[in-house]
Every structure is written in C-alpha cells, then in structure tokens.
Amino acid sequence: MSDDESIEQEPAVEAGGVGARLKRAREAAGLELAQVAAETRIPQRHLLTIENGALADLPARTYAVGFSRTYARLVGLDEREIVDQVRIELAEGEDRGAAPTRFEPGDPARVPGRGLAWFALFAAVLLVGGIYAFYRSYFAPGLGPAPLQDPATQVASRPQQPSAPASKAATPAASGPVVFTSEMDGTWVKFYDAAGERLYEAQMNKGDSYTIPADADGPQVWTGRPYALAITVGGRPVPKLSEDDEVIKDVPVTAAALLARAPRPAAADEPPANGG
C-alpha cells in the first residue's frame, strides 16, 4: 500500500510544536505533502509523523533531527531553531516516560568522536608492540642456561654476518573496488563521472550496495545523507564522507581520493583532537 493510500485524514497536531510549525509553513508555501516528499526524498509517512508531533515514533533520533532540518530548509524556516526545538521535544517525551528512540550508529550524539577512536587504536597498537618487545627481550634469551664466557668475548669471536636489509612497511595500494553501502532506508544518492554522465542513481534501502566501476573516469558523488553511506576500498573500511546531515556534491570517490581523506593516527605525545 502506498503512502497516499494509507493516509486518509491528517490528525490534529500541537499548535506550538515543531510539526505544527512545519505544516503551517508548508501550507503557506502552497505545497502538498506529496510535493515535500518528492523534493526532500523523505517518505511521506515520516513527514506526516513529524507534522503530527510524534517525533518519538520515527525509527531513531537521527531521523527526527535530520528529517526536520531538511523539511525546515525547504519551507524557509530557521533550521537551527527547528533542530533545537526537536531536541527539546524529544527530551520532554523521554521525561514523560515515552519509549526512548533506538540507538542508531549514525547518531552523532551517541558515538565517540573520530579523534578519540583513532587515538585509542594507536594506543592499543603501541601496547601490543611493547608487550611483544618485552617478551623477546626478557623471556626468549633466558630459555637456555647462562653463558659461560664473557658476552663481549662471545661477540668478538663470532663471524660477522651481513645485516639483512630492513623490510619496508607495506602501504595499502590506492586500488581495489570502491563499495558504498547504505546504513539507512530511503538514502538518495547519485554517482556520475567527470563528464557528468550518470553512473548510478537510486533511493537506497538499508543494506543496498553499489560498486564504483573500475573504468569510470573521475567518479563523483551527490547525496544529502553522507553519514548514512559506509565505504570500503578493496574490502578495507574508510571514513564516511561526512558525519553531518548535509548535502555534498562533486566529491571524488576514486580509491586514491578516499584513502587520501582517511585521518592519520595522532602522535603519542599529542593530545587527542577537541571533541574526541
């Protein structure tokens, strides 16, 4: 059943709530709900839920904030003011005992900052390396009996062995298939080449994937939900194009460009980035 068929009559909404403000602005602009859905690519049932003031009924807090911001932008309301009011109404709903929204990986209020995550990873690598070095230095040489000769004499009597050339650390090649996977339903995205020719355009559902063609010339992306698209290069995850609810366009998505965007771990003597 389509959204239009399932909606017979719109219930009344709170006079001063976010939903009421958005609905009044839509009607003042002479827009039908179906037109808003087409322009914003937000399912009509979610728009109706917002207008009815039932923000807690949306799948997650991210949906309530992101959809309301996009709706406000279309009808000419102050986006920041609308988002602040959405958060207040969600908090009031939780205080009244409403069921909390489910955790959503893309909710920036509930996930640690990228700086903290990279710093923690770097610290873990240092810890593992230190344990390995300690084991080799203190345990491995002591497995046999103590030497009978002076260590300096032993070193002098041994034939000099040519030192093996130091192996170069393997660096990930800027190649391999580039795959975008949607983590949310209703994620609109368009891929196109340097000449503007469309490679792929769809409203992806959660779990849908698209692989950038290997022979595409300068592939780029356009989407309003960069935070909902997980990316891998050669099977290796790389950071999303953005964690914010914003429209991005003409962003290169070659393997080299995506790997170049990947943040590097901070040095051990440097503090983590603000917000991490």
PDB file of all heavy atoms in Angstrom, residues 208-225:
ATOM      1  N   ASP A 208      21.640  -1.957   0.915  1.00  0.00           N
ATOM      2  CA  ASP A 208      21.905  -1.868  -0.526  1.00  0.00           C
ATOM      3  C   ASP A 208      23.324  -1.357  -0.753  1.00  0.00           C
ATOM      4  O   ASP A 208      23.798  -0.466  -0.041  1.00  0.00           O
ATOM      5  CB  ASP A 208      20.913  -0.917  -1.199  1.00  0.00           C
ATOM      6  CG  ASP A 208      19.513  -1.493  -1.253  1.00  0.00           C
ATOM      7  OD1 ASP A 208      19.365  -2.701  -0.945  1.00  0.00           O
ATOM      8  OD2 ASP A 208      18.572  -0.760  -1.593  1.00  0.00           O
ATOM      9  N   SER A 209      23.998  -1.911  -1.776  1.00  0.00           N
ATOM     10  CA  SER A 209      25.386  -1.535  -2.065  1.00  0.00           C
ATOM     11  C   SER A 209      25.535  -1.175  -3.535  1.00  0.00           C
ATOM     12  O   SER A 209      24.766  -1.626  -4.388  1.00  0.00           O
ATOM     13  CB  SER A 209      26.349  -2.680  -1.725  1.00  0.00           C
ATOM     14  OG  SER A 209      26.333  -2.955  -0.348  1.00  0.00           O
ATOM     15  N   TYR A 210      26.542  -0.362  -3.808  1.00  0.00           N
ATOM     16  CA  TYR A 210      26.903  -0.028  -5.188  1.00  0.00           C
ATOM     17  C   TYR A 210      28.421   0.017  -5.292  1.00  0.00           C
ATOM     18  O   TYR A 210      29.092   0.624  -4.446  1.00  0.00           O
ATOM     19  CB  TYR A 210      26.324   1.318  -5.603  1.00  0.00           C
ATOM     20  CG  TYR A 210      26.795   1.753  -6.971  1.00  0.00           C
ATOM     21  CD1 TYR A 210      26.388   1.086  -8.120  1.00  0.00           C
ATOM     22  CD2 TYR A 210      27.688   2.819  -7.113  1.00  0.00           C
ATOM     23  CE1 TYR A 210      26.834   1.466  -9.373  1.00  0.00           C
ATOM     24  CE2 TYR A 210      28.143   3.210  -8.362  1.00  0.00           C
ATOM     25  CZ  TYR A 210      27.710   2.529  -9.498  1.00  0.00           C
ATOM     26  OH  TYR A 210      28.167   2.895 -10.723  1.00  0.00           O
ATOM     27  N   THR A 211      28.977  -0.645  -6.325  1.00  0.00           N
ATOM     28  CA  THR A 211      30.415  -0.670  -6.561  1.00  0.00           C
ATOM     29  C   THR A 211      30.754   0.277  -7.704  1.00  0.00           C
ATOM     30  O   THR A 211      30.180   0.178  -8.791  1.00  0.00           O
ATOM     31  CB  THR A 211      30.892  -2.098  -6.912  1.00  0.00           C
ATOM     32  OG1 THR A 211      30.543  -2.978  -5.835  1.00  0.00           O
ATOM     33  CG2 THR A 211      32.404  -2.124  -7.115  1.00  0.00           C
ATOM     34  N   ILE A 212      31.682   1.205  -7.453  1.00  0.00           N
ATOM     35  CA  ILE A 212      32.103   2.145  -8.491  1.00  0.00           C
ATOM     36  C   ILE A 212      32.797   1.367  -9.609  1.00  0.00           C
ATOM     37  O   ILE A 212      33.710   0.576  -9.348  1.00  0.00           O
ATOM     38  CB  ILE A 212      33.069   3.195  -7.918  1.00  0.00           C
ATOM     39  CG1 ILE A 212      32.445   3.910  -6.715  1.00  0.00           C
ATOM     40  CG2 ILE A 212      33.472   4.193  -9.002  1.00  0.00           C
ATOM     41  CD1 ILE A 212      31.248   4.734  -7.050  1.00  0.00           C
ATOM     42  N   PRO A 213      32.392   1.536 -10.878  1.00  0.00           N
ATOM     43  CA  PRO A 213      33.058   0.818 -11.973  1.00  0.00           C
ATOM     44  C   PRO A 213      34.550   1.139 -12.020  1.00  0.00           C
ATOM     45  O   PRO A 213      34.951   2.292 -11.857  1.00  0.00           O
ATOM     46  CB  PRO A 213      32.329   1.339 -13.228  1.00  0.00           C
ATOM     47  CG  PRO A 213      31.005   1.833 -12.725  1.00  0.00           C
ATOM     48  CD  PRO A 213      31.258   2.356 -11.350  1.00  0.00           C
ATOM     49  N   ALA A 214      35.371   0.112 -12.231  1.00  0.00           N
ATOM     50  CA  ALA A 214      36.819   0.299 -12.233  1.00  0.00           C
ATOM     51  C   ALA A 214      37.267   1.208 -13.367  1.00  0.00           C
ATOM     52  O   ALA A 214      38.301   1.884 -13.259  1.00  0.00           O
ATOM     53  CB  ALA A 214      37.518  -1.065 -12.337  1.00  0.00           C
ATOM     54  N   ASP A 215      36.508   1.246 -14.477  1.00  0.00           N
ATOM     55  CA  ASP A 215      36.917   2.054 -15.620  1.00  0.00           C
ATOM     56  C   ASP A 215      36.238   3.420 -15.651  1.00  0.00           C
ATOM     57  O   ASP A 215      36.336   4.142 -16.640  1.00  0.00           O
ATOM     58  CB  ASP A 215      36.608   1.315 -16.925  1.00  0.00           C
ATOM     59  CG  ASP A 215      35.122   0.965 -17.053  1.00  0.00           C
ATOM     60  OD1 ASP A 215      34.384   1.157 -16.059  1.00  0.00           O
ATOM     61  OD2 ASP A 215      34.719   0.492 -18.129  1.00  0.00           O
ATOM     62  N   ALA A 216      35.552   3.802 -14.556  1.00  0.00           N
ATOM     63  CA  ALA A 216      34.869   5.100 -14.532  1.00  0.00           C
ATOM     64  C   ALA A 216      35.906   6.226 -14.511  1.00  0.00           C
ATOM     65  O   ALA A 216      36.896   6.170 -13.775  1.00  0.00           O
ATOM     66  CB  ALA A 216      33.951   5.201 -13.314  1.00  0.00           C
ATOM     67  N   ASP A 217      35.669   7.269 -15.308  1.00  0.00           N
ATOM     68  CA  ASP A 217      36.593   8.391 -15.408  1.00  0.00           C
ATOM     69  C   ASP A 217      36.211   9.465 -14.402  1.00  0.00           C
ATOM     70  O   ASP A 217      35.223  10.164 -14.555  1.00  0.00           O
ATOM     71  CB  ASP A 217      36.551   8.967 -16.839  1.00  0.00           C
ATOM     72  CG  ASP A 217      37.472  10.176 -16.996  1.00  0.00           C
ATOM     73  OD1 ASP A 217      38.414  10.313 -16.189  1.00  0.00           O
ATOM     74  OD2 ASP A 217      37.248  10.967 -17.928  1.00  0.00           O
ATOM     75  N   GLY A 218      37.022   9.599 -13.332  1.00  0.00           N
ATOM     76  CA  GLY A 218      36.776  10.623 -12.316  1.00  0.00           C
ATOM     77  C   GLY A 218      35.428  10.528 -11.659  1.00  0.00           C
ATOM     78  O   GLY A 218      34.683  11.511 -11.638  1.00  0.00           O
ATOM     79  N   PRO A 219      35.038   9.355 -11.091  1.00  0.00           N
ATOM     80  CA  PRO A 219      33.713   9.231 -10.481  1.00  0.00           C
ATOM     81  C   PRO A 219      33.529  10.186  -9.299  1.00  0.00           C
ATOM     82  O   PRO A 219      34.472  10.428  -8.536  1.00  0.00           O
ATOM     83  CB  PRO A 219      33.676   7.768 -10.026  1.00  0.00           C
ATOM     84  CG  PRO A 219      35.111   7.385  -9.857  1.00  0.00           C
ATOM     85  CD  PRO A 219      35.853   8.143 -10.915  1.00  0.00           C
ATOM     86  N   GLN A 220      32.292  10.715  -9.167  1.00  0.00           N
ATOM     87  CA  GLN A 220      31.953  11.643  -8.089  1.00  0.00           C
ATOM     88  C   GLN A 220      30.587  11.254  -7.517  1.00  0.00           C
ATOM     89  O   GLN A 220      29.873  10.448  -8.102  1.00  0.00           O
ATOM     90  CB  GLN A 220      31.921  13.087  -8.613  1.00  0.00           C
ATOM     91  CG  GLN A 220      33.239  13.533  -9.241  1.00  0.00           C
ATOM     92  CD  GLN A 220      33.126  14.895  -9.913  1.00  0.00           C
ATOM     93  OE1 GLN A 220      32.675  15.854  -9.294  1.00  0.00           O
ATOM     94  NE2 GLN A 220      33.521  14.978 -11.170  1.00  0.00           N
ATOM     95  N   VAL A 221      30.254  11.862  -6.360  1.00  0.00           N
ATOM     96  CA  VAL A 221      29.003  11.506  -5.683  1.00  0.00           C
ATOM     97  C   VAL A 221      28.237  12.765  -5.289  1.00  0.00           C
ATOM     98  O   VAL A 221      28.830  13.810  -5.033  1.00  0.00           O
ATOM     99  CB  VAL A 221      29.281  10.634  -4.429  1.00  0.00           C
ATOM    100  CG1 VAL A 221      30.014  11.422  -3.373  1.00  0.00           C
ATOM    101  CG2 VAL A 221      27.977  10.068  -3.866  1.00  0.00           C
ATOM    102  N   TRP A 222      26.892  12.604  -5.229  1.00  0.00           N
ATOM    103  CA  TRP A 222      25.977  13.671  -4.786  1.00  0.00           C
ATOM    104  C   TRP A 222      24.938  13.014  -3.904  1.00  0.00           C
ATOM    105  O   TRP A 222      24.249  12.082  -4.319  1.00  0.00           O
ATOM    106  CB  TRP A 222      25.349  14.318  -6.011  1.00  0.00           C
ATOM    107  CG  TRP A 222      24.344  15.398  -5.721  1.00  0.00           C
ATOM    108  CD1 TRP A 222      24.069  15.983  -4.523  1.00  0.00           C
ATOM    109  CD2 TRP A 222      23.470  16.022  -6.683  1.00  0.00           C
ATOM    110  NE1 TRP A 222      23.097  16.933  -4.664  1.00  0.00           N
ATOM    111  CE2 TRP A 222      22.703  16.989  -5.980  1.00  0.00           C
ATOM    112  CE3 TRP A 222      23.272  15.871  -8.045  1.00  0.00           C
ATOM    113  CZ2 TRP A 222      21.754  17.765  -6.606  1.00  0.00           C
ATOM    114  CZ3 TRP A 222      22.312  16.661  -8.660  1.00  0.00           C
ATOM    115  CH2 TRP A 222      21.570  17.600  -7.948  1.00  0.00           C
ATOM    116  N   THR A 223      24.815  13.456  -2.642  1.00  0.00           N
ATOM    117  CA  THR A 223      23.825  12.888  -1.727  1.00  0.00           C
ATOM    118  C   THR A 223      23.538  13.869  -0.605  1.00  0.00           C
ATOM    119  O   THR A 223      24.351  14.767  -0.332  1.00  0.00           O
ATOM    120  CB  THR A 223      24.318  11.555  -1.130  1.00  0.00           C
ATOM    121  OG1 THR A 223      23.297  11.001  -0.285  1.00  0.00           O
ATOM    122  CG2 THR A 223      25.575  11.739  -0.294  1.00  0.00           C
ATOM    123  N   GLY A 224      22.400  13.719   0.024  1.00  0.00           N
ATOM    124  CA  GLY A 224      22.045  14.539   1.180  1.00  0.00           C
ATOM    125  C   GLY A 224      22.238  13.815   2.495  1.00  0.00           C
ATOM    126  O   GLY A 224      21.996  14.380   3.555  1.00  0.00           O
ATOM    127  N   ARG A 225      22.716  12.545   2.419  1.00  0.00           N
ATOM    128  CA  ARG A 225      22.946  11.768   3.642  1.00  0.00           C
ATOM    129  C   ARG A 225      24.312  11.098   3.601  1.00  0.00           C
ATOM    130  O   ARG A 225      24.411   9.867   3.556  1.00  0.00           O
ATOM    131  CB  ARG A 225      21.889  10.688   3.797  1.00  0.00           C
ATOM    132  CG  ARG A 225      20.506  11.188   4.120  1.00  0.00           C
ATOM    133  CD  ARG A 225      19.640  10.015   4.505  1.00  0.00           C
ATOM    134  NE  ARG A 225      18.240  10.331   4.515  1.00  0.00           N
ATOM    135  CZ  ARG A 225      17.278   9.428   4.579  1.00  0.00           C
ATOM    136  NH1 ARG A 225      17.584   8.154   4.617  1.00  0.00           N
ATOM    137  NH2 ARG A 225      16.013   9.778   4.580  1.00  0.00           N
TER     138      ARG A 225
END
